[in-house]
Amino acid sequence: MTLRRVLLAGSAMAVLCSSVYGAELTLESREAPSPQATGQKALRLIEVFEQLAVGPPQHMAIADLLRPIPGLREAAEAAEAEALKTVGEALTKKLELMLSEEPVPEELETTISDAFLKAAQARAEVGRAEQAALDSIFSRLTDYQQLAIEWEFGGGPSDADRQALLESTRRQMMGMQRLVDQLLAPQLEAIWSIRNTQQYHRQRAAVAQQILEGLVGQRMLMGGPEMADQYIGNLFQYFDHIRAMPPDQFEMGLRSGMLSQTLLRSLGVGFGGDMAQIPRVPEQELRDLLLDPYCITMITTRADTMMRLVQDRRRGG
C-alpha cells in the first residue's frame, strides 16, 4: 500500500505540474522591454507614419480604433490570472483526493475546464478586437498608402489596380503641387520685396511660421514640434538666398514654380514624378507596430495632444 501511495502521489504531482505549466504557457511574457527596444520601436513607428504620410486626422482615427485594446488585454490577463488561481486550487484538491484514494468528483474536473475556457474566451476577444482594428485601419488607407505598403498576405491591390492607383496618386501629387505654388507664391513675393534689412529680419519669422502652418494644414510636413527649429532655420537660409536674386530671375522662378519646389525640398517635402521611389513598408511590420503595447500608447498619447491643440485653437488659446 505504501508503494502504491508513492506511485499515486508521483502520478498526481506530474498531472499537477504539467497542468499548471501548461496554463502558464497561455500567458504572454510580462517582462518589460528594454528602453533600447522601446526606443527603437518609437523611432520606427515615427518613420513608418512619415513614410505613409499619416496626417493628424488619420492619426487620431487610428488612435480611436486602437484605444480599447489595452483595456481588453488587461481584462484578459486578469481572467487568465483568475483561471490559474482556480485551476491551482482545484488541482491541489484533486491531489489530496488522489492521495487519499478517494474518487475525484466530476464537478472538480468541470471547474478546471471551465476556468481554462474563460481564460481562452477572454484571450479570443482580444484577438478579435485586434483583427477588427487592423481591418478597419487598412480599409481606410489612401491610394498612396496602398502603394507604399509591401503587401505580404494578398490584401493589396492587383497589378491592374496598382497601375490605376499609380495614375491616381500622380494626379493627386500634381494637384497638390499647384496648390502649394498658390500657397507659397504670395509669401515668397512678400519676403523678396522687403529691401530694408532690419524690416526683413523682423518679418521673416512671421512669414516662415505662415508657410509652416500652411504645409502642416495640407498634411505635407512631418516630424512634429521637435523639427520646428530646423525647419525655421532652413527657411531663413532660403529667404536669404532668394533675396539675393535679381528681379528677372526671381519672377521667372516664381512663375515656373521652381522657387516653391526648391523651398519644399529644403524642408524634406517632395513630389514625385518618379513613383518608383515610393517607400515600401512591410505589411507584417506595420501590423506588429500597430499592435505593439508601447506603440499603441505612443499613438493614443500623441492623438490626445493633437486634440488638445485643436481645442485650444478653437477657444483662441
Side-chain angles (χ1 to χ4, degrees), residues 24 39 44 66 69 84-85 96-97 122 127 201 232 234 256 260 267 270 292-293 304:
E24 288 175 343
R44 182 54 182 156
L66 296 176
I69 291 177
L84 286 177
K85 179 182 177 183
E96 293 173 352
L97 293 172
H201 285 156
I232 293 290
N234 291 354
S256 67
S260 296
L267 299 176
D292 180 81
D304 292 341

Side-chain angles (χ1 to χ4, degrees), residues 24 54 67 69 87 96 111 119 121-122 139 142 200-201 209 213-214 251-252 260 263 265 302 308 311:
E24 288 175 343
V54 176
R67 204 179 294 276
I69 291 177
V87 168
E96 293 173 352
T111 297
Q121 288 173 337
S139 71
T142 65
Y200 162 69
H201 285 156
Q209 188 64 35
E213 289 179 355
E251 290 296 335
M252 182 180 298
S260 296
L263 182 149
R265 283 196 293 272
R302 178 61 180 152
R308 284 195 298 271
Q311 292 171 346

Side-chain angles (χ1 to χ4, degrees), residues 8-307:
L8 192 57
S11 175
M13 286 299 296
V15 171
L16 175 61
C17 292
S18 63
S19 299
V20 174
Y21 181 66
E24 288 175 343
L25 290 179
T26 67
L27 295 174
E28 295 179 348
S29 173
R30 302 295 183 261
E31 184 178 353
S34 68
Q36 181 180 7
T38 54
Q40 289 174 345
K41 286 182 178 180
L43 292 175
R44 182 54 182 156
L45 177 67
I46 293 171
E47 181 182 14
V48 166
F49 271 30
E50 289 183 356
Q51 290 176 335
L52 296 179
V54 176
Q58 190 176 26
H59 184 116
M60 288 190 282
I62 291 173
D64 288 340
L65 291 168
L66 296 176
R67 204 179 294 276
I69 291 177
L72 291 174
R73 287 174 175 170
E74 185 176 349
E77 291 170 3
E80 289 174 336
E82 184 63 28
L84 286 177
K85 179 182 177 183
T86 300
V87 168
E89 293 172 349
L91 288 175
T92 299
K93 179 63 175 177
K94 182 176 180 178
L95 174 61
E96 293 173 352
L97 293 172
M98 293 175 68
L99 289 175
S100 62
E101 299 186 18
E102 297 181 21
V104 177
E106 185 177 344
E107 295 80 16
L108 197 58
E109 300 287 1
T110 302
T111 297
I112 297 172
S113 60
D114 286 350
F116 280 119
L117 179 60
K118 289 180 180 178
Q121 288 173 337
R123 182 56 58 187
E125 185 178 355
V126 173
R128 288 191 294 269
E130 291 174 345
Q131 189 58 53
L134 290 178
D135 289 345
S136 186
I137 291 170
F138 277 76
S139 71
R140 303 181 188 193
L141 295 174
T142 65
D143 291 352
Y144 174 84
Q145 288 166 342
Q146 292 188 56
L147 292 171
I149 292 175
E150 185 178 344
W151 297 95
E152 301 169 282
F153 305 110
S158 64
D159 291 341
D161 290 339
R162 181 175 177 80
Q163 188 58 41
L165 288 173
L166 281 169
E167 293 301 324
S168 172
T169 303
R170 185 178 288 111
R171 288 193 299 270
Q172 291 173 15
M173 288 185 170
M174 292 175 62
M176 185 63 75
Q177 177 69 71
R178 289 192 294 270
L179 176 60
V180 169
D181 287 342
Q182 296 172 3
L183 289 171
L184 294 183
Q187 285 93 336
L188 292 178
E189 194 165 12
I191 203 72
W192 179 83
S193 64
I194 301 174
R195 296 292 95 190
N196 182 278
T197 302
Q198 290 183 345
Q199 184 183 2
Y200 162 69
H201 285 156
R202 287 195 300 268
Q203 291 294 324
R204 68 178 183 177
V207 174
Q209 188 64 35
Q210 291 174 3
I211 290 176
L212 292 181
E213 289 179 355
L215 295 178
V216 170
Q218 295 300 321
R219 295 173 54 188
M220 297 173 58
L221 204 58
M222 299 293 177
E226 66 277 5
M227 290 294 293
D229 290 342
Q230 181 65 49
Y231 289 146
I232 293 290
N234 291 354
L235 286 175
F236 284 1
Q237 291 180 10
Y238 188 65
F239 293 164
D240 293 343
H241 169 69
I242 66 171
R243 286 185 78 244
M245 290 181 178
D248 291 347
Q249 182 183 355
F250 176 80
E251 290 296 335
M252 182 180 298
L254 199 62
R255 287 196 304 270
S256 67
M258 182 186 66
L259 294 182
S260 296
Q261 293 178 28
T262 305
L263 182 149
L264 292 172
R265 283 196 293 272
S266 75
L267 299 176
V269 178
F271 292 96
D274 183 7
M275 302 300 288
Q277 298 303 313
I278 292 179
R280 303 301 297 277
V281 176
E283 178 186 357
Q284 185 59 58
E285 181 186 24
L286 178 58
R287 291 176 178 272
D288 292 342
L289 286 172
L290 289 172
L291 294 181
D292 180 81
Y294 183 76
C295 290
I296 290 177
T297 300
M298 280 189 60
I299 292 169
T300 54
T301 300
R302 178 61 180 152
D304 292 341
T305 300
M306 291 175 179
M307 181 56 65

